[in-house]
Amino acid sequence: MDDVLEIAGRRFSSRLVLGTGGAANLSVLERALVASGTELTTVSLRRADTSGGPGVLDLLRRCGVGALPNTAGCRSAAEAVLTAQLAREALDTNWVKLEVVADEDTLLPDPFETLDAAERLVADGFTVLAYTNDDPVLARRLEDAGCAAVMPLGSPIGSGLGIRNPHNIELIVNRASVPVVLDAGIGTASDAALAMELGCAAVLLATSVTRADEPERMARAMRDAVRAGREARLAGRIPRRFWARASSPAVEGGW
Amino acid sequence: MRVLINGRAHELAESCTVAGAVAAAGAPARGTAVALDGQLVPRAEWTRTELTPGARLEVLTAVQGG
């Protein structure tokens, strides 16, 4: 396949990153992962004796899906850096999805802590994929800090509100020289297609699949939506026009 | 001596190492990482890192999330 996604030298044929959060159990998750065609998925780091989680890594290994540890739950740069270091140790990867949120109600990224953490992690040799607000200035600052990808939200995590500011996403895409991954807020397939039509390199989503009535079916829908949106982006959409433009030849003398 | 492992008190032998504490907590050695008093302890140092009374140990692993 010619149209590959490349992040920090690693190539992916799928442009959908399906997170593992929210699935009712590992068997539901496995079917969704397989149906989605994803090659990379997020995992979190939690206490070993309370989570019941050892199964998720075995599952990913079995499915051939790469694990991208996140720093979910961190409120400060210091917490995020320690979590990333622990994840590197536990999972043998220097890739990290950096996520530093400001409060529990919105789960919106804290821009100051995120940028601070990004700088420290890049200096420590991490490949940083940074979850960020849909702010073109911040996205640029994260790229300048050395992030391998910037991941603006469409809307708050788990809200399913879709892409609330498509123009900002376009601005970010237009000026970025690293891949832009739309992360968070996807509710249904058309949101994922829109992200790709706006020029995003990939889409990261979890809740919209794992908490759908039928996760496996929604995973397929997302896979197809991401492909369709990507194709439409590459095909080049027609310009928007105020007035109609006939698609049949003009009528002359009756016909 | 008494140490905290993942927020719970454990009574361990004197001169216990991080490796011993991980085993005492029943956590698998594979796929885990350890922070001692807020600092990462690389796996290679587990067997030679001695705990002191009151140490706070976090033993973490990957779970579904994100």
Side-chain angles (χ1 to χ4, degrees), chain A residues 53-114:
Chain A
V56 75
L57 285 184
D58 293 336
L59 165 61
L60 299 188
R61 229 171 267 123
R62 191 164 68 243
C63 297
V65 177
L68 173 63
N70 66 25
T71 62
C74 292
R75 294 287 197 87
S76 69
E79 284 175 14
V81 168
L82 176 60
T83 302
Q85 290 171 339
L86 288 161
R88 177 163 64 183
E89 183 77 9
L91 301 176
D92 262 330
T93 175
N94 62 1
W95 281 43
V96 64
K97 176 189 163 179
L98 172 62
E99 180 178 334
V100 188
V101 301
D103 65 75
E104 291 304 310
D105 291 333
T106 66
L107 296 177
L108 287 172
D110 182 315
F112 307 99
E113 298 295 326
T114 299

Side-chain angles (χ1 to χ4, degrees), chain A residues 14-43:
Chain A
S14 167
R15 291 176 178 272
L16 173 59
V17 180
L18 177 61
T20 59
N25 57 57
L26 287 178
S27 131
V28 167
L29 177 63
E30 178 165 2
R31 287 199 299 276
L33 282 170
V34 170
S36 73
T38 194
E39 295 161 290
L40 186 67
T41 187
T42 55
V43 293

Side-chain angles (χ1 to χ4, degrees), chain B residues 1 23 30 49 64 66:
Chain B
M1 69 181 156
R30 199 172 121 258
T49 304
Q64 284 175 240

Side-chain angles (χ1 to χ4, degrees), chain A residues 19-23 25-26 29 42-49 51 53-54 56-58 61 70 82 85-86 89-91 206, chain B residues 5-8 10 25 27-28 30-35 38-44 46 58-66:
Chain A
T20 59
N25 57 57
L26 287 178
L29 177 63
T42 55
V43 293
S44 298
L45 220 59
R46 292 293 180 267
R47 286 174 166 171
D49 56 349
S51 59
V56 75
L57 285 184
D58 293 336
R61 229 171 267 123
N70 66 25
L82 176 60
Q85 290 171 339
L86 288 161
E89 183 77 9
L91 301 176
Chain B
I5 305 176
N6 288 347
R8 288 175 53 195
H10 285 253
R30 199 172 121 258
T32 53
V34 170
Q39 296 284 318
L40 169 76
V41 183
R43 185 180 308 274
W46 284 9
E58 294 289 339
V59 185
L60 306 175
T61 193
V63 301
Q64 284 175 240

Side-chain angles (χ1 to χ4, degrees), chain B residues 11-49:
Chain B
E11 200 61 46
L12 301 178
E14 300 301 319
S15 83
C16 185
T17 63
V18 166
V22 170
R30 199 172 121 258
T32 53
V34 170
L36 174 58
D37 295 329
Q39 296 284 318
L40 169 76
V41 183
R43 185 180 308 274
E45 293 171 22
W46 284 9
T47 53
R48 55 173 183 264
T49 304

